[in-house]
Amino acid sequence: RPRLLSGMQPTSGSLHLGNYLGALTQWVALQETHDAFYCVVDLHALTVSPDPAELRERTRWTAAQYIAAGVDPERSTLFVQSHVPAHAQLAWVLSCLTGFGEAGRMTQFKDKSAKQGSDSTTVGLFTYPVLMAADILLYQAAEVPVGEDQRQHLELTRNLAQRFNSRFGETFAVPEPFIPEETAKIYDLQDPTAKMSKSSSSPNGLVDVLDDPKVTAKKIRSAVTDTGREVLFDPVEKAGVSNLLSIHSALSGRSIAQLEADFAGRGYGDLKKELAEVVTDALAPVRTRTLELMADPGALDELIARGADRANEVAEQTLATVHERVGLVARP
Ligand code: TYM
């Protein structure tokens, strides 16, 4: 089975609908056909200087949501990034192959650092994509399921893999992004030109997986649309309605064309009402299961520890090869 790796940051207690549709539902499907590694990237989350106690809790909540959404820890390797020291170690080696300008061209870094100003922008934020490359390359992942916002980081990962291979000999698999178009970018409900994100300007723009279903329904009913009446998929003229149709289609399995036909002659209110049901029906069981898993943190920690054992086995092998190739002396 081809290898696959992906991860999410534990920057908030709950994942949001963009994480869920853009990544998590793909992960669950892909574990059937792939040898999948799914990690909670807690080292990446340090770039936003979280409160220590909160980071620890959020890491567990994130892992619990993976399982609750259907990641099977028996079939896939579920682990926490910091439990596998090779991630930080490989990141160092790769950082010595990454151009300063190359890292500076990452749009996510440019956006975030521009907002923060250079005094509060850390070196960690700058080298973040190199750590992400290490996450992927350690496992020789052939594919990486992510949302559209990670495409450029994947491109950097591919470049680093190829650069290393041509300088030191074939070592890394060069990974392909796996970004299904329909769910590549879920938009903010209040500002359908911006992606749904934890740093969203309005809390109503974001549906959290762990929100109370009543809250979720309310957010969807108050989603921004346009002044037209017809339910049609047109991302330019009808960004809000199109986003709602994408979400509906991804969760209900009905095609966009089918939904347009079903809603012909009906208004936006009907679409929102039905979508609220579709979303809460999908997320309610994930929420319930997450709460159950969090009620037994010992069992959860044990699952994660087993994942770390398996991940370490694979990662240490790759790291040993890398160290040997670049000329580090092996410890006898
Ligand atoms: P993160 O934690 O911001 O997001 C986790 C996943 O959710 C996707 N996503 C979205 N998809 C569609 N629409 C949206 N509005 C939306 N918002 C987020 C992201 O694309 C991502 O797939 N750097 C990564 C984490 C990471 C990683 C890795 C991913 C670290 N190492 C190795 C893959 C492989 C990040 O910050 O994702």
Side-chain angles (χ1 to χ4, degrees), residues 89-168:
Q89 292 171 287
L90 180 61
W92 174 255
V93 176
L94 295 177
S95 74
C96 296
L97 292 179
T98 310
F100 193 81
E102 187 177 32
R105 280 192 293 277
M106 295 293 113
T107 53
Q108 214 164 68
F109 171 75
K110 287 199 284 190
D111 292 348
K112 287 189 183 171
S113 59
K115 272 186 210 148
Q116 294 172 341
S118 67
D119 279 344
S120 37
T121 297
T122 65
V123 174
L125 188 67
F126 186 63
T127 58
Y128 173 120
V130 180
L131 178 60
M132 175 164 165
D135 298 340
I136 296 164
L137 299 181
L138 273 177
Y139 299 91
Q140 309 289 359
E143 280 172 82
V144 183
V146 285
E148 181 61 37
D149 59 349
Q150 299 301 317
R151 189 184 289 282
Q152 196 189 25
H153 293 159
L154 249 298
E155 203 44 52
L156 176 72
T157 304
R158 290 170 53 82
N159 289 338
L160 289 174
Q162 280 158 345
R163 195 171 303 156
F164 190 101
N165 288 348
S166 68
R167 198 169 301 175
F168 301 106

Side-chain angles (χ1 to χ4, degrees), residues 5-9 11 16 18-19 21-23 41 44 81 108 128 131-132 135-136 144-150 153-154 183-187 195-198:
L5 177 127
S6 199
M8 303 205 199
Q9 296 193 65
T11 38
H16 60 69
N19 303 137
L21 292 176
V41 293
H44 276 109
Q81 187 186 33
Q108 214 164 68
Y128 173 120
L131 178 60
M132 175 164 165
D135 298 340
I136 296 164
V144 183
V146 285
E148 181 61 37
D149 59 349
Q150 299 301 317
H153 293 159
L154 249 298
T183 51
K185 194 165 176 184
I186 301 297
Y187 293 89
K195 74 165 179 183
M196 187 177 283
S197 129
K198 286 155 211 162

Side-chain angles (χ1 to χ4, degrees), residues 244-268:
L244 299 181
L245 285 170
S246 299
I247 296 171
H248 193 314
S249 173
L251 290 172
S252 66
R254 276 143 75 187
S255 70
I256 300 275
Q258 184 63 53
L259 289 171
E260 284 177 337
D262 291 349
F263 284 99
R266 297 160 69 194
Y268 295 164

Side-chain angles (χ1 to χ4, degrees), residues 8 15 19-20 23-29 31 62-72 209 282-283 285-287 289-290 293:
M8 303 205 199
L15 300 176
N19 303 137
Y20 183 77
L24 200 45
T25 56
Q26 318 297 336
W27 295 10
V28 173
Q31 67 184 346
T62 304
Q65 286 168 90
Y66 289 1
I67 299 172
V71 169
D72 175 2
V209 169
L283 295 184
V286 180
R287 179 175 188 254
R289 183 82 185 105
T290 303
L293 287 159

